[in-house]
Amino acid sequence: VLGTLPAANGGTGITAAGTSGNVLTSNGSTWASSAPAAGGSWVLLGTYTPSGASTVDITNFSSTYDDYAIVGTLAAASAIPKIRIKLGSSSFGTSGYVTNFYDYNSNYQNSAADGIQMGGDIGSGNPSDAGANIKMSFITYCNNVNDSTYQGIYGQTNNAAGYNMKGLIYSGYYYGGGQDRGILTGLQYFPDTGTYTGTVRIYGIVK
């Protein structure tokens, strides 16, 4: 076929692809090469597949995005899931991670916590679930990570062990405690005991 194939015959009707990154858009009768709609889209930045890991360390933060979403499913034997954050190139806290948090979830609130508690140990109190893996599905949002004056995260989790299930909304922020602040450069998921196995993905959110 020579020339431009019109939309009526299964083509695009356009003679040039346009600017790099453009997408095809339709007005109902013809096609056009247009810039994608701004804002709201998620860009996959990394996939983590821990197996028997004591921590899951997310390090894909940069100045490219201010907001991030982290989605995952992790399994651990009778463990309480928690999160820590790393600020700048800090060396304080646990392995460079901050341990001073204001910590809230839909069960309780706490201050100066060793990480944000994402859920409860729902398996340990039930003999029928002894030794069973706790499956945790979660989403964590990190907003304004390049703002050194405030570092906060929030999200939601669903924990399941045997026939027991618990959903929690959690949030937390670093209150300083006399230590220097910095932009958020890392986030760590860890169980209070045992190890994690599963899949975690991090997305940059386009403004």
Side-chain angles (χ1 to χ4, degrees):
V1 177
L2 299 177
T4 303
L5 187 62
N9 294 331
T12 63
I14 60 176
T15 58
T19 304
S20 175
N22 275 10
V23 296
L24 282 175
T25 57
S26 170
N27 65 6
S29 58
T30 61
W31 292 94
S33 174
S34 307
S41 61
W42 290 16
V43 179
L44 179 63
L45 303 178
T47 300
Y48 298 78
T49 55
S51 179
S54 58
T55 65
V56 182
D57 294 66
I58 309 298
T59 58
N60 302 78
F61 302 100
S62 72
S63 59
T64 302
Y65 302 96
D66 289 325
D67 305 319
Y68 296 81
I70 303 168
V71 182
T73 301
L74 294 170
S78 298
I80 298 175
K82 296 182 178 182
I83 306 175
R84 295 189 184 105
I85 61 174
K86 180 178 285 187
L87 303 176
S89 57
S90 60
S91 59
F92 55 84
T94 302
S95 300
Y97 287 87
V98 176
T99 56
N100 294 332
F101 279 96
Y102 280 117
D103 178 22
Y104 301 88
N105 68 34
S106 46
N107 271 1
Y108 72 97
Q109 69 180 56
N110 188 26
S111 62
D114 180 17
I116 299 168
Q117 186 165 318
M118 299 170 65
D121 192 350
I122 63 176
S124 61
N126 190 328
S128 67
D129 288 330
N133 276 349
I134 292 181
K135 303 294 194 302
M136 177 180 71
S137 298
F138 65 92
I139 184 166
T140 304
Y141 292 101
C142 306
N143 299 114
N144 297 316
V145 302
N146 296 301
D147 182 351
S148 63
T149 64
Y150 173 85
Q151 301 82 26
I153 63 176
Y154 65 95
Q156 186 169 357
T157 185
N158 180 71
N159 297 338
Y163 55 80
N164 290 326
M165 299 188 72
K166 179 182 287 185
L168 287 176
I169 299 171
Y170 57 89
S171 65
Y173 67 92
Y174 174 52
Y175 70 89
Q179 302 176 87
D180 292 335
R181 296 183 179 214
I183 63 174
L184 192 150
T185 57
L187 186 147
Q188 180 186 82
Y189 295 94
F190 67 102
D192 64 335
T193 59
T195 60
Y196 274 146
T197 296
T199 302
V200 180
R201 294 181 173 88
I202 178 170
Y203 299 84
I205 302 177
V206 178
K207 287 189 173 180

